Amino acid sequence: MSILSWNCPGLGNPATVQVLVDLVHSKKPSIIFLAETFAGTNKLSPIKTKLGFHGLFCVNNEGHSGGLALLWKEDTKVSITSYSKHHIDATISLSLVDIEWRFTGFYGAPERHRRPESWALLKQLSTTSPLPWTVMGDFNDILHQDEKRGGNPQPLRLISGFREAVEASGLRDFGFNGYQFTWERSKGTPQWVEAKLDRILNTDSWCDLFPNAKAESITTARSDHMPLHLQILPPDTPNPKSGFRFENLWLREAHCREIMIESWSKTYS
């Protein structure tokens, strides 16, 4: 299975919907998290059908801003546990391998003065379940100064505050292949700014559960944010231990009979 996370520029534009259709066709995600949909259930329901998805949970937009959505395929069991304007939290069950874990789609407050609210939300969510946990989305924050290019340096208080929230939540950054600066503004001008605002965070227990997981960023033409695609590969199935098989041919070897008789006599003495 896989998860697609994207801060899309509103789903009222048919061209944006077509980009999403193309992403689903090429990456075949089982779960999609969308931020800044600028839409509610009425508008997203026909899009869900067009994408071929079974489940839909929406946090409605407020005017021309906000809006979150979580979509999932019919063969994926999703149970919504909590939500707000900035997150959707769900328990994911993989019945075929009897595995249960937790997914949170996250959208950090874009206003700098409200960033501490996002950090507090992340820390609060970390206390609500012991399940292996992965968090994806647009955090509107960076963890290191080199995750931003152009414009003024990120205030250290914002970097420190976000980093402390991630560590306090028991999460760690999950790297991805592809272009690392997932958001941009004013490309092609002297004011061009890029930053790694979109990312994936995991607990150690999630990484232990899915050691073969891998992720990538995807270039699109319809958003200032790049989608992230997390591919969740099942754990390696250990090969069954082969049982010992005695071959009669071995008795033809010199001293083999004596060695076997001596070994068996020690085993059963």
Side-chain angles (χ1 to χ4, degrees), residues 203-219:
T203 57
D204 287 340
S205 60
W206 193 93
C207 292
D208 292 340
L209 185 63
F210 300 110
N212 300 321
K214 57 184 180 180
E216 63 178 337
S217 61
I218 305 169
T219 301

Side-chain angles (χ1 to χ4, degrees), residues 77-254:
K77 186 177 180 181
V78 175
S79 177
I80 305 298
T81 54
S82 70
Y83 65 92
S84 71
K85 293 188 297 183
H86 295 283
H87 86 284
I88 299 176
D89 189 47
T91 299
I92 313 297
S93 300
L94 303 180
S95 56
L96 293 179
V97 287
D98 193 26
I99 292 177
E100 189 174 66
W101 51 280
R102 181 183 177 201
F103 170 79
T104 301
F106 198 89
Y107 175 56
E111 305 89 352
R112 283 187 173 180
H113 70 276
R114 294 185 55 216
R115 243 24 101 59
E117 297 176 21
S118 295
W119 307 333
L121 173 61
L122 191 63
K123 288 188 281 189
Q124 189 273 329
L125 287 170
S126 72
T127 67
T128 61
S129 171
L131 289 174
W133 188 28
T134 186
V135 189
M136 294 179 68
D138 171 15
F139 292 83
N140 273 310
D141 266 315
I142 60 175
L143 289 171
H144 306 282
Q145 197 66 255
D146 61 4
E147 292 182 347
K148 181 182 180 183
R149 292 200 304 204
N152 297 322
Q154 189 80 344
L156 291 179
R157 63 178 179 83
L158 296 181
I159 294 177
S160 298
F162 182 40
R163 188 182 299 165
E164 188 276 330
V166 171
E167 293 174 355
S169 301
L171 295 163
R172 66 180 183 182
D173 192 46
F174 188 85
F176 55 83
N177 298 320
Y179 201 66
Q180 297 297 299
F181 298 94
T182 62
W183 168 84
E184 66 178 9
R185 182 181 63 203
S186 304
K187 184 176 182 178
T189 73
Q191 291 76 41
W192 187 16
V193 180
E194 298 178 289
K196 186 179 181 179
L197 301 185
D198 307 85
R199 65 176 71 242
I200 305 166
L201 302 172
N202 304 107
T203 57
D204 287 340
S205 60
W206 193 93
C207 292
D208 292 340
L209 185 63
F210 300 110
N212 300 321
K214 57 184 180 180
E216 63 178 337
S217 61
I218 305 169
T219 301
T220 67
R222 288 298 309 173
S223 176
D224 53 357
H225 285 265
M226 300 179 72
L228 296 181
H229 180 238
L230 174 63
Q231 189 174 1
I232 304 171
L233 303 174
D236 291 330
T237 303
N239 292 326
K241 295 182 179 180
S242 57
F244 175 78
R245 296 179 61 187
F246 180 79
E247 299 289 346
N248 290 328
L249 182 64
W250 296 346
L251 293 176
R252 298 180 183 178
E253 298 293 331

Side-chain angles (χ1 to χ4, degrees), residues 9-18 43 222:
L11 289 174
N13 189 320
T16 303
V17 175
Q18 186 58 50
K43 185 176 290 186
R222 288 298 309 173

